[in-house]
Amino acid sequence: MQGLPDFSATRLLVVGDVMLDRYWFGDVSRISPEAPVPVVKVERSEERPGGAANVARNAAALGAQVSLLSVVGDDEAGRRLGALMAEESVAASLHADPAIDTTVKLRVIGRQQQLLRIDFETTPSHEVLRAKLADFAQRLSGVDAVILSDYGKGGLTHIAEMIQLARQAGKKVLVDPKGDDYSKYAGATVLTPNRAEFRQVTGSWKDETQLVEKAQALRQELNLEALLVTRSEEGMSLFGADGVVRQPAVAREVFDVSGAGDTVIATLAAMLASGAGWAEAVRAANLAGGIVVGKLGTATVTREELDAALRGAA
């Protein structure tokens, strides 16, 4: 494969748990007299979309047409998230639930290192989630593929119904899973767990042969077309009916792995929805993941960066 397909006509729907990632950057020069902790003098702050919102902005950065469906609180963080998505050219439908607070992850960074993370989160109410499901069903006809980004925050309570509706409409469904019960993801096109998430569901393996057996057994049990396990320094492995496609890790300095899984699933979805085969799609997703871990915080990979990486690898 020489370069990337044209994503401008590719339509993706991203559904899942959104959050606002806040970063406080500061200087650390002393220890507090009150407790043995560093004192951070905050010098600047940044806000970025996180969770499913980061998946959506990653797909948009590649040039795809992206819509985002999620639930936020009726609060400043929720409105800020909506504004950030508009800046990223994502058509966001964020259902405001006055009973919850928008999920916020606040990271304190000193000397380029994360010192502390503070999470604010509550589970959405049932009524808002039902409204979101109805909205989802209406949107299916206008998209090529669906990404369900599960961060375990309660926004995907109806995920089994969503998968069923999307598959009935003939759409590819990519799921970034969470937790140890994958039965709710049955019937999806592909799941993209990382190595630790996969181990949580199948137990550990003693060698590559046993890993393949466990992966193929899970894929068949859940009636998936494929299972993509991202394996850090071991690259990634796609388990399908035709066997295993392996991609080695892209050697580069790892700066920050947060959000790398978001980049991988966004790239995979854009490739598959544009008509690429599994091997091509996994290769592009692997390179995109390799680029994004070299950036601080939840970041994106541009079409130009990925195209250059693909041509370089070729």
Side-chain angles (χ1 to χ4, degrees), residues 7 9-15 55-56 58-60 62-69 90-91 139 142-147 172 174 265-274:
F7 295 129
T10 304
R11 302 162 306 167
L12 299 175
L13 172 60
V14 181
V15 189
V55 176
N58 266 277
L62 292 173
Q65 297 177 37
V66 186
S67 42
L68 171 67
L69 180 56
V90 171
R139 287 166 181 268
V143 299
D144 302 309
V146 176
I147 303 174
K172 286 184 166 60
L174 298 87
I265 199 169
T267 308
L268 190 70
M271 292 292 291
L272 292 173
S274 301

Side-chain angles (χ1 to χ4, degrees), residues 119-301:
D119 292 4
F120 306 85
E121 60 189 57
T122 35
T123 306
S125 62
H126 192 70
E127 293 72 21
V128 171
L129 291 172
R130 288 302 316 180
K132 191 178 88 168
L133 182 62
D135 194 352
F136 174 81
Q138 284 182 322
R139 287 166 181 268
L140 280 174
S141 61
V143 299
D144 302 309
V146 176
I147 303 174
L148 299 172
S149 182
D150 194 350
Y151 271 79
K153 310 296 182 196
L156 283 173
T157 300
H158 304 297
I159 192 164
E161 288 171 78
M162 288 178 170
I163 291 170
Q164 194 178 1
L165 286 166
R167 295 303 274 158
Q168 282 168 355
K171 310 301 178 184
K172 286 184 166 60
V173 180
L174 298 87
V175 181
D176 192 354
K178 204 61 156 188
D180 56 7
D181 175 20
Y182 280 14
S183 61
K184 60 191 169 190
Y185 306 131
T189 307
V190 60
L191 300 190
T192 63
N194 63 32
R195 187 170 51 190
E197 288 165 341
F198 179 69
R199 187 183 288 118
Q200 192 181 355
V201 173
T202 64
S204 55
W205 51 93
K206 64 178 189 291
D207 55 25
E208 195 71 15
T209 305
Q210 194 178 33
L211 167 64
V212 173
E213 285 170 4
K214 284 177 179 282
Q216 292 290 23
L218 182 65
R219 183 184 67 78
Q220 289 165 357
E221 180 193 331
L222 297 176
N223 191 25
L224 311 170
E225 268 184 49
L227 179 69
L228 179 68
V229 181
T230 55
R231 302 170 64 185
S232 286
E233 73 284 351
E234 295 173 332
M236 53 179 67
S237 303
L238 180 88
F239 303 92
D242 299 331
V244 186
V245 176
R246 293 182 178 86
Q247 282 290 332
V250 183
R252 61 171 66 234
E253 187 180 359
V254 176
F255 200 68
D256 191 341
V257 296
S258 61
D262 298 339
T263 304
V264 167
I265 199 169
T267 308
L268 190 70
M271 292 292 291
L272 292 173
S274 301
W278 282 108
E280 280 181 294
V282 171
R283 186 159 168 261
N286 187 47
L287 285 169
I291 295 166
V292 86
V293 295
K295 303 182 180 187
L296 178 65
T298 44
T300 61
V301 175

Side-chain angles (χ1 to χ4, degrees), residues 102-120:
T102 301
T103 298
V104 175
K105 290 184 177 178
L106 171 61
R107 295 170 176 90
V108 182
I109 317 272
R111 291 184 185 166
Q112 300 296 323
Q113 290 217 311
Q114 190 177 142
L115 303 174
L116 179 68
R117 193 179 97 183
I118 305 164
D119 292 4
F120 306 85

